Amino acid sequence: LRDFLLVYNRMTELCFRHCVCTLNYRLLTGREESCLDSCAARLVRANHRLMGSYVGLVPALLQRRAAEHGTAGPPGPVAPSSDAPGAGT
């Protein structure tokens, strides 16, 4: 949630600085609204592409890290031990 809010706040700041020219009016002009809409849409699309690439690279990165540390990969589900409390009941 924190990362999402940081991205949202940064996007809002960038688009506001780029699109809002004057603060003479209470409401945005049509031109400012249009600019803000397209600016936000561009940044959202860029963020989606970036997250898609990140999701595609994470498994390879995790495997590489696991190989560097001498393990076979991320741990899978752990089977209950026969000497664990409640086992075999």
Side-chain angles (χ1 to χ4, degrees):
L1 180 61
R2 182 177 152 249
D3 290 338
F4 168 78
L5 291 175
L6 287 172
V7 168
Y8 177 79
N9 287 337
R10 184 68 179 143
M11 179 182 74
T12 302
E13 181 182 343
L14 286 171
C15 290
F16 183 84
R17 286 183 182 202
H18 177 73
C19 296
V20 178
C21 302
T22 64
L23 298 175
N24 295 336
Y25 306 102
R26 174 178 269 221
L27 300 175
L28 296 172
T29 65
R31 182 182 227 172
E32 290 170 333
E33 278 191 51
S34 174
C35 179
L36 287 169
D37 285 343
S38 64
C39 179
R42 279 193 312 269
L43 291 175
V44 166
R45 283 192 305 269
N47 189 41
H48 284 166
R49 285 193 308 265
L50 182 64
M51 288 295 111
S53 297
Y54 177 76
V55 167
L57 293 175
V58 168
L61 181 65
L62 290 176
Q63 285 180 342
R64 187 179 316 143
R65 284 186 184 170
E68 289 173 359
H69 294 293
T71 60
V78 177
S81 172
S82 61
D83 56 333
T89 58

